[in-house]
Amino acid sequence: MKAKLYTIKDVHADDDKIKKASNIIQNGGLVIFPTETVYGLGADAFNPVASEKIYSAKGRPSDNPLILHISDLDMLNKIVKNVPEKANKLINQFWPGPLTIIFEKKDIVSDKITGGLNTVAVRMPSNPIALSFIRNANTPIAAPSANISGKPSITRWEDAVEEMGNRVDAILLSEPSEIGLESTIIDLTQDVPMILRVGKISKTEIEKAIGFTEIDKTIFGEKDIPKAPGMKYKHYSPNAEVFIASKENFVEKVKQKYKASPSCNTVIFTMNQNKSYFKDEKVYLLGETTLQAAKFFFHFLRKADKEGYDTIIMEDISFDEIGEAVMNRARKSAGNKYL
Ligand code: TXA
Ligand code: MG
């Protein structure tokens, strides 16, 4: 194991360990750290050599830009050309929190970490450990999700250690990610604000703050090239083959597919409310609400691989609250295959 492991139980009591991790960033190293969405794999955004190491550690295509994580607005002003009025409104309402905003970038931000774009994605996370880690590093931290490119995002430290332990310099071990899905991304560099990735903060909430907002249509279809470069790649894929079971005749369809699977090595992801329908089948329960489902979805994809399942059937859950974002990730992991 290459990575130093630092267990963080309390942001104050474990301050010395957070500072050690921040030092590694200042010295050009890679550190995996918890955020409220998913675990991130960070490097000093102002150190091009360090930031480029992120791409090789993850096996990430170099045209896929990174999100810069900040702990205060001084950092924002160092990296963006201007903060439009609508951005100010969103910042006041949603930062720190699970919202990434795209701005026009200053030259100080290297083209290498924006995939050649003249814009930059920025987020101020609300997780206190993340904030303290960035503050101590005293530099914006460029960080994608901590998984190997194409794999499900990482929401538990155990998965970070197993998948990335030999690829990074340190890992901060903390609680499972509170939300469990990546941030909502909004682009404010166009005339009309555009949501590029759906997440916990919904279009309705955003529109309450800044008015009419569009949603990148490619989020729900696979026809055109998405505007967030990273959304076009194969994504969130476990080893098992994933199918979505649409709502119509849900139980019947699932049972048929379950029986038809040759090795019968299939697991069903379903909401607790449907538990009683599947007494003879293997199920992972996603919880009572879509917020709980969000917290478990990526973890369950990884768990199914560990337990040796070759097929996953995911219920088409309700679009309430964060449900739409869960289904966006689920469809990608299924390559849009429906039962
Ligand atoms: O919740 C999150 O956002 C997590 C945590 C660690 O903060 N991070 C995350 O990063 O999900 P990543 O790299 O897995 O996803 C970032 C997405 C990619 O789809 C990327 O293409 C898009 O953001 N992106 C980054 N910069 C962009 C830009 N300037 N314009 C458009 N899309 C951009
Ligand atoms: Mg990612």
Side-chain angles (χ1 to χ4, degrees):
M1 168 86 50
K2 172 181 163 194
K4 294 199 176 76
L5 305 181
Y6 299 116
T7 303
I8 313 293
K9 294 248 191 283
D10 179 272
V11 68
H12 301 295
D14 296 314
D15 187 50
D16 55 327
K17 295 189 219 165
I18 297 175
K19 284 195 172 124
K20 280 186 186 151
S22 301
N23 268 334
I24 294 176
I25 293 289
Q26 289 178 329
N27 292 325
L30 298 182
V31 177
I32 291 182
F33 63 101
T35 85
E36 69 279 16
T37 57
V38 299
Y39 276 73
L41 194 176
D44 179 356
F46 290 152
N47 178 336
V49 178
S51 307
E52 273 186 71
K53 283 199 274 184
I54 292 176
Y55 288 91
S56 48
K58 274 180 64 86
R60 182 178 175 106
S62 61
D63 69 341
N64 191 357
L66 305 176
I67 296 175
L68 271 50
H69 294 67
I70 59 171
S71 56
D72 58 63
L73 294 180
D74 285 345
M75 282 190 189
L76 178 67
N77 293 320
K78 278 192 195 141
I79 55 185
V80 309
K81 272 204 178 139
N82 56 34
V83 180
E85 188 46 39
K86 285 179 181 170
N88 265 320
K89 288 189 175 154
L90 293 177
I91 288 169
N92 285 336
Q93 191 166 343
F94 297 112
W95 278 8
L99 181 70
T100 296
I101 305 177
I102 314 271
F103 297 89
E104 282 181 34
K105 77 172 186 70
K106 280 189 177 156
D107 290 343
I108 190 172
V109 179
S110 156
D111 286 345
K112 293 255 162 60
I113 57 176
T114 64
L117 298 173
N118 56 11
T119 56
V120 62
V122 187
R123 176 162 112 78
M124 189 189 291
S126 61
N127 180 300
I129 298 167
L131 280 176
S132 165
F133 168 62
I134 303 164
R135 203 177 297 123
N136 281 309
N138 198 22
T139 179
I141 294 188
S145 51
N147 53 286
I148 288 179
S149 202
K151 292 278 161 205
S153 298
I154 288 177
T155 58
R156 307 205 170 201
W157 67 258
E158 293 89 339
D159 296 324
V161 172
E162 189 178 320
E163 185 157 299
M164 305 303 284
N166 285 322
R167 298 169 178 243
V168 299
D169 301 296
I171 305 178
L172 295 178
L173 316 183
S174 176
E175 298 289 306
S177 312
E178 194 185 316
I179 297 170
L181 290 187
E182 309 87 343
S183 58
T184 305
I185 302 180
I186 183 159
D187 185 352
L188 294 179
T189 66
Q190 315 289 320
D191 290 341
V192 179
M194 168 92 75
I195 293 172
L196 305 186
R197 183 172 71 186
V198 286
K200 177 155 189 284
I201 295 175
S202 67
K203 179 170 185 271
T204 316
E205 282 176 280
I206 288 175
E207 286 194 319
K208 261 193 210 144
I210 60 167
F212 182 68
T213 299
E214 282 188 316
I215 204 158
D216 181 5
K217 290 192 183 61
T218 61
I219 287 178
F220 300 107
E222 295 290 305
K223 280 185 208 116
D224 301 312
I225 296 172
K227 296 195 168 55
M231 299 295 278
K232 71 176 181 278
Y233 294 109
K234 179 170 173 273
H235 241 104
Y236 315 125
S237 308
N239 300 326
E241 189 172 16
V242 184
F243 296 88
I244 312 286
S246 53
K247 290 193 173 68
E248 208 185 330
N249 299 326
F250 166 67
V251 175
E252 204 178 302
K253 253 183 328 210
V254 170
K255 284 190 181 265
Q256 256 176 26
K257 175 74 184 169
Y258 191 93
K259 272 197 218 125
S261 121
S263 52
C264 243
N265 217 355
T266 297
V267 61
I268 301 158
F269 295 4
T270 187
M271 301 300 291
N272 293 16
Q273 293 83 329
N274 293 324
K275 191 168 142 187
S276 58
Y277 298 125
F278 300 116
K279 290 227 164 18
D280 301 326
E281 290 85 7
K282 288 172 188 141
V283 297
Y284 292 170
L285 293 175
L286 289 160
E288 312 265 350
T289 64
T290 58
L291 283 170
Q292 288 166 349
K295 191 164 177 164
F296 285 112
F297 177 67
F298 282 137
H299 172 61
F300 281 177
L301 291 180
R302 289 174 169 276
K303 179 170 152 157
D305 277 352
K306 264 183 220 134
E307 296 186 347
Y309 291 108
D310 52 35
T311 308
I312 294 167
I313 303 174
M314 168 75 185
E315 179 188 337
D316 191 4
I317 69 170
S318 124
F319 267 32
D320 287 1
E321 286 179 311
I322 201 172
E324 183 180 25
V326 175
M327 288 315 300
N328 164 257
R329 308 312 191 267
R331 272 194 304 274
K332 282 182 177 286
S333 68
N336 262 336
K337 287 192 300 300
Y338 278 78
L339 293 183

